[in-house]
Amino acid sequence: MSHPPPLTTATSSNTQQQQQQQPEIRSRQSVTSPVLAHHIVRGGAAYVRVGHGDDSDDDGETGEENVVHGTQSGEAKGTVASSAINITNTILGSGMLAMPKALASTGLGFGSLLIALSGLASAFGLTLLTLCASKIGRHSSFFHISKLTYPQAAIWFDLAIAVKCFGVSISYLVIIGDLMPTIMHSIYPDSIPESLIFSKQLWITVSMVLLIPVAFAKQLNSLKYTSALALCAVVYLVGIVFGYFMAGPLDSMPRRPEWNEVTWVKIDGSFFKTVPIFVFAFTCHQNIFAVHNELVDNSVSQVKKVIHLSILTAFGVYQLIGIMGYLTFGNTVGGNVISMYPPGAIITGGQISLAFLFLLSYPLQCHPARASLEKVLTGGNSAIQMTEFRFTAITTGLLVSSYLIAISVDDLSTVLSLVGATGSTAICYILPGLLYYKLRMVTDPADMAKKWDFMKLSAVGLAGFGVFVMVLSVGTQVAHIFGSEGKAGGGLGGH
């Protein structure tokens, strides 16, 4: 038997090629422009990419990457299913119970269309942020992308995100504090009003105690089980609306509208007050970077699966509750469809499910608030790593401050509405469009001289739409404030 000649030369050559092509990672990578690499090295967050030349999609994808610093690939444990559960739970909230009223204000057909358009706009914004994250790596965040695109505004962007998420977390506690005494009245109708079980402060305190273990979760993926439980509450609420709709007219409920009484398109003075319900219905963008960073396979295609699954699930929930709730009560439907049903054990269970949903949604707001606040407190210095002490201190500060505010005030609706009108609009529409557009200029300076393509036009259009929505939402809130003051006789001294 003859033996093949030794492959010393070829082996040596192959070894050299392997050493040149093996940068501590195995996943496919995209080409990094010298400009982007220069910015990232200056930011103290060096990472390695492997080029794939033409590995790009028509929508602007430039492939995938892995990082040396930031979230290591070995630490990533997220899956498409767990990530979709967390994002869906981030999306769904009290807005789903207001959908029947929103359809009554805009018409069944037009309102259903607005839900679909809002879902598409939100999905597009999430896709733009994902494409931005694919150029940064597993340490992607609003801050890191902003440092490359609008460095002077990076801290302010994160401050706005922190305030928005912090405000939403407070609203969850306030709602729980208002909801639980009502539930206790249903369960114990003969108890004296002064009983401790009817105390708002008690239930907010109980909620905070229950939240402590999950609020300190370091990865968003760690919240997948609590998010799954929260979605079980959503299923129960959908079941209530569906069940009463299929049960047909009941003597204890208002008369159902006939088909000739259904309004399909309606645009009047209440339209602009209702639009924010639709455009903010799919807000979840503050958590998309955590999803990207924690997915085992964080390719653009995998993150898109998370986006599509989450948006479609929320879309289905909104349409089911909105359409069936409207067809059950017609134009008389209230802002909380669950409160329209006759009292009983089933509805009490729905109220408990709602409180449960808000409780388990709190950590999904605490997580991005902590990440953004950490950037603000460190002055955006990427070289300063998050220590255990700082992590614990920031989380404790968020918990304690949200608790103190929630038990101290009776009504934060005006302030939180303004925070949502500005913060949510920026996160959902304005920042995704602006960051994607500007990051393309940074990663490829020659792109500035290129013609406007679909993605660039759409990104700028999304940002412009966000500005319009912000002006509309803030204007509506201001008009409501002054309208309320006018009805009360003017002035602020009534409280």
Side-chain angles (χ1 to χ4, degrees):
M1 176 184 292
S2 61
H3 296 280
L7 302 176
T8 53
T9 303
T11 302
S12 175
S13 174
N14 290 339
T15 301
Q16 291 177 358
Q17 292 178 3
Q18 291 173 358
Q19 290 175 346
Q20 292 174 358
Q21 296 178 357
Q22 186 174 4
E24 303 181 36
I25 27 189
R26 298 177 182 177
S27 61
R28 293 182 296 116
Q29 310 292 328
S30 60
V31 177
T32 305
S33 71
V35 176
L36 180 59
H38 172 68
H39 277 284
I40 294 176
V41 170
R42 288 182 61 189
Y47 62 99
V48 183
R49 297 175 186 260
V50 179
H52 272 265
D54 296 329
D55 185 20
S56 61
D57 295 335
D58 294 337
D59 63 356
E61 285 183 28
T62 55
E64 303 133 63
E65 76 231 342
N66 206 332
V67 298
V68 176
H69 301 295
T71 301
Q72 299 294 324
S73 58
E75 299 174 356
K77 299 179 181 179
T79 64
V80 170
S82 65
S83 300
I85 287 172
N86 280 325
I87 292 297
T88 304
N89 188 26
T90 305
I91 295 174
L92 296 173
S94 59
M96 63 181 176
L97 302 182
M99 276 302 165
K101 178 65 175 179
L103 295 187
S105 300
T106 58
L108 181 62
F110 189 37
S112 298
L113 177 62
L114 288 176
I115 294 175
L117 293 176
S118 298
L120 288 173
S122 181
F124 182 62
L126 290 167
T127 300
L128 293 180
L129 293 178
T130 300
L131 294 175
C132 291
S134 71
K135 297 178 181 293
I136 300 299
R138 287 191 183 273
H139 63 288
S140 62
S141 65
F142 276 106
F143 178 81
H144 282 98
I145 298 173
S146 299
K147 287 293 287 184
L148 297 174
T149 53
Y150 305 96
Q152 301 301 320
I155 291 181
W156 295 105
F157 288 162
D158 265 279
L159 180 62
I161 294 169
V163 171
K164 182 264 178 189
C165 295
F166 179 65
V168 174
S169 66
I170 294 174
S171 71
Y172 289 161
L173 295 177
V174 172
I175 292 174
I176 293 172
D178 292 338
L179 192 57
M180 287 307 298
T182 302
I183 295 172
M184 291 298 105
H185 275 293
S186 300
I187 299 175
Y188 303 106
D190 298 328
S191 298
I192 59 174
E194 293 78 14
S195 176
L196 185 62
I197 61 173
F198 301 138
S199 169
K200 164 186 173 181
Q201 287 75 15
L202 169 68
W203 291 108
I204 294 178
T205 303
V206 171
S207 299
M208 292 307 302
V209 172
L210 295 175
L211 284 170
I212 289 175
V214 290
F216 282 88
K218 294 184 178 180
Q219 287 198 344
L220 191 70
N221 188 63
S222 302
L223 302 174
K224 59 187 176 184
Y225 298 112
T226 55
S227 292
L229 289 174
L231 293 183
C232 290
V234 173
V235 171
Y236 185 86
L237 293 168
V238 172
I240 291 176
V241 178
F242 179 79
Y244 274 98
F245 174 76
M246 297 302 295
L250 300 177
D251 294 336
S252 57
M253 295 172 59
R255 184 184 68 86
R256 289 195 175 189
E258 302 292 337
W259 279 108
N260 59 358
E261 297 175 321
V262 172
T263 303
W264 293 96
V265 178
K266 180 180 179 182
I267 301 178
D268 56 15
S270 65
F271 173 77
F272 293 106
K273 296 179 182 179
T274 308
V275 167
I277 296 177
F278 295 107
V279 297
F280 299 144
F282 295 89
T283 302
C284 60
H285 301 58
Q286 65 271 20
N287 282 328
I288 194 63
F289 290 119
V291 166
H292 173 271
N293 298 341
E294 296 175 15
L295 273 173
V296 174
D297 177 4
N298 68 339
S299 61
V300 171
S301 61
Q302 290 298 102
V303 181
K304 281 185 175 180
K305 289 181 181 179
V306 175
I307 295 171
H308 296 159
L309 185 57
S310 304
I311 295 295
L312 285 174
T313 301
F315 171 79
V317 171
Y318 287 144
Q319 292 285 17
L320 279 172
I321 291 181
I323 294 174
M324 293 184 179
Y326 173 75
L327 292 178
T328 300
F329 298 103
N331 294 323
T332 63
V333 67
N336 179 358
V337 67
I338 296 298
S339 66
M340 300 290 294
Y341 297 103
I346 294 177
I347 302 305
T348 299
Q351 293 173 328
I352 294 174
S353 297
L354 194 58
F356 195 58
L357 172 63
F358 288 125
L359 178 70
L360 297 179
S361 297
Y362 181 100
L364 293 173
Q365 300 297 329
C366 182
H367 190 279
R370 177 177 55 227
S372 294
L373 190 58
E374 191 265 342
K375 298 293 190 302
V376 175
L377 295 177
T378 58
N381 189 340
S382 300
I384 301 177
Q385 299 297 319
M386 173 77 89
T387 63
E388 288 289 341
F389 173 79
R390 190 183 303 118
F391 176 89
T392 302
I394 294 176
T395 306
T396 302
L398 289 171
L399 289 171
V400 172
S401 55
S402 62
Y403 168 74
L404 293 176
I405 294 174
I407 65 172
S408 302
V409 299
D410 292 325
D411 186 10
L412 276 174
S413 59
T414 300
V415 174
L416 294 178
S417 296
L418 290 173
V419 169
T422 53
S424 294
T425 309
I427 295 172
C428 291
Y429 304 111
I430 298 176
L431 287 181
L434 291 182
L435 294 178
Y436 173 82
Y437 172 79
K438 189 65 179 290
L439 192 61
R440 281 186 56 172
M441 305 296 106
V442 173
T443 55
D444 184 9
D447 190 78
M448 189 173 297
K450 296 179 182 178
K451 294 182 179 180
W452 286 77
D453 56 27
F454 173 77
M455 290 297 291
K456 290 169 68 174
L457 282 171
S458 300
V460 174
L462 185 69
F465 172 72
V467 173
F468 169 76
V469 171
M470 179 182 289
V471 172
L472 174 64
S473 301
V474 172
T476 301
Q477 293 299 325
V478 171
H480 175 72
I481 293 171
F482 283 103
S484 298
E485 291 178 1
K487 292 179 181 179
L492 299 174
H495 297 283

